[in-house]
């Protein structure tokens, strides 16, 4: 039963992260200047090379790596 509760907590946490990220991405798209994207986490401009490779990128490479590591850590617990 305890494992189920832990898995449920993890699922809720992941849902909250995704929801928060989605809302932030939408907010950024609404307020962003055309052709100029900024990282959701640090606010720095996302390099053009990254946007060419991943047009839907909402984070710079470093922040995206940190975000994925955080999700991965929570999945292991």
């Amino acid at each position: 039963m305890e494992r189920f509760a832990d898995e449920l907590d993890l699922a809720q946490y992941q849902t909250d992260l995704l929801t928060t990220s989605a809302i932030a991405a939408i907010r950024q798209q609404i307020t962003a200047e055309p052709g100029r994207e900024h990282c959701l986490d640090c606010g720095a401009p996302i390099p053009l090379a990254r946007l060419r490779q991943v047009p839907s990128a909402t984070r710079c490479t470093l922040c995206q790596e940190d975000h994925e590591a955080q999700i991965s850590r929570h999945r292991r617990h």
Side-chain angles (χ1 to χ4, degrees), residues 1-13 77:
M1 185 64 119
E2 186 176 325
R3 182 181 167 132
F4 175 75
D6 289 343
E7 289 178 12
L8 185 60
D9 288 343
L10 175 59
Q12 183 61 50
Y13 174 79
H77 294 286

Side-chain angles (χ1 to χ4, degrees), residues 49-67:
R50 174 157 171 74
L51 289 172
R52 284 186 179 142
Q53 286 186 345
V54 185
S56 62
T58 57
R59 291 180 176 87
C60 67
T61 303
L62 290 176
C63 289
Q64 183 63 38
E65 289 172 355
D66 288 345
H67 177 74

Side-chain angles (χ1 to χ4, degrees), residues 10-76:
L10 175 59
Q12 183 61 50
Y13 174 79
Q14 290 172 333
T15 300
D16 291 347
L17 270 180
L18 290 173
T19 302
T20 302
S21 295
I23 290 169
I26 292 167
R27 184 176 293 140
Q28 180 184 4
Q29 289 173 355
I30 291 170
T31 61
E33 298 173 31
R36 187 151 187 194
E37 301 293 329
H38 291 82
C39 177
L40 290 177
D41 295 341
C42 71
I46 300 174
L48 184 57
R50 174 157 171 74
L51 289 172
R52 284 186 179 142
Q53 286 186 345
V54 185
S56 62
T58 57
R59 291 180 176 87
C60 67
T61 303
L62 290 176
C63 289
Q64 183 63 38
E65 289 172 355
D66 288 345
H67 177 74
E68 290 173 7
Q70 183 180 20
I71 289 173
S72 179
R73 279 192 301 272
H74 286 349
R75 283 185 180 157
R76 283 186 254 145

